[in-house]
Amino acid sequence: GDLTKFDDLYTAHNATPTEHAGTTASLPLVLRRAYSSGPFSGFNTWISVKVASGGTASLTVTAVADTTSGAPGCNTPVTYVTAKTITDSFVFFQNSDDTTVNGLGQNPACFWGAVTITSDVPIVAIANVTNDLNKGDNDGTYNAFLEWNN
């Protein structure tokens, strides 16, 4: 699909200096269709990953559900692990039914949890949490917690 509507996510990487890029990115709040209702998708997350060098990275995405969230249908204890090779940058869109795009490798009806992305080369990552349940600007963007091997 056309991901150009997410170009604003890429620009946020400019706030993370290349020397602060890491090989592990931790994202503590990641959502897929939490509180979805009728025609509304509910709360969803986008995770934008940028390879610090602009080259290619082999990623492993591990998503662990938080069973205490209270969101209906999101209380199943589960861990999803998927691999993805990216060049330059990529947006994982959790609401997508394309398992190569959602970062989960599966299509759970609901997910509320955390994600860790490990890479063979330094990366930076941000997440954007949004929902279509409320009117107005519902976006909240945050930087991943990065770790690196020197």
Side-chain angles (χ1 to χ4, degrees):
D2 180 15
L3 296 179
T4 57
K5 62 184 173 183
F6 303 128
D7 282 345
D8 60 323
L9 291 178
Y10 298 128
T11 62
H13 292 305
N14 293 331
T16 304
T18 302
E19 61 269 17
H20 292 174
T23 53
T24 301
S26 298
L27 301 134
L29 181 61
V30 175
L31 309 167
R32 174 184 161 90
R33 300 180 185 167
Y35 295 101
S36 61
S37 177
F40 300 105
S41 297
F43 289 83
N44 289 283
T45 313
W46 306 320
I47 301 171
S48 183
V49 179
K50 172 83 170 113
V51 181
S53 68
T56 299
S58 295
L59 308 177
T60 300
V61 181
T62 304
V64 179
D66 174 2
T67 59
T68 65
S69 71
C74 286
N75 57 355
T76 303
V78 66
T79 299
Y80 300 106
V81 180
T82 188
K84 178 89 174 169
T85 299
I86 66 168
T87 300
D88 190 43
S89 63
F90 188 80
V91 176
F92 291 101
F93 183 38
Q94 279 65 60
N95 193 34
S96 176
D97 286 329
D98 183 339
T99 59
T100 65
V101 173
N102 69 21
L104 302 171
Q106 296 185 35
N107 283 317
C110 183
F111 178 82
W112 184 306
V115 165
T116 299
I117 301 172
T118 57
S119 175
D120 62 338
V121 297
I123 58 171
V124 293
I126 58 171
N128 183 19
V129 180
T130 190
N131 78 79
D132 60 358
L133 300 172
N134 302 301
K135 293 180 180 178
D137 183 2
N138 297 303
D139 293 289
T141 304
Y142 67 93
N143 290 326
F145 296 97
L146 295 168
E147 299 174 31
W148 56 93
N149 298 324
N150 292 334

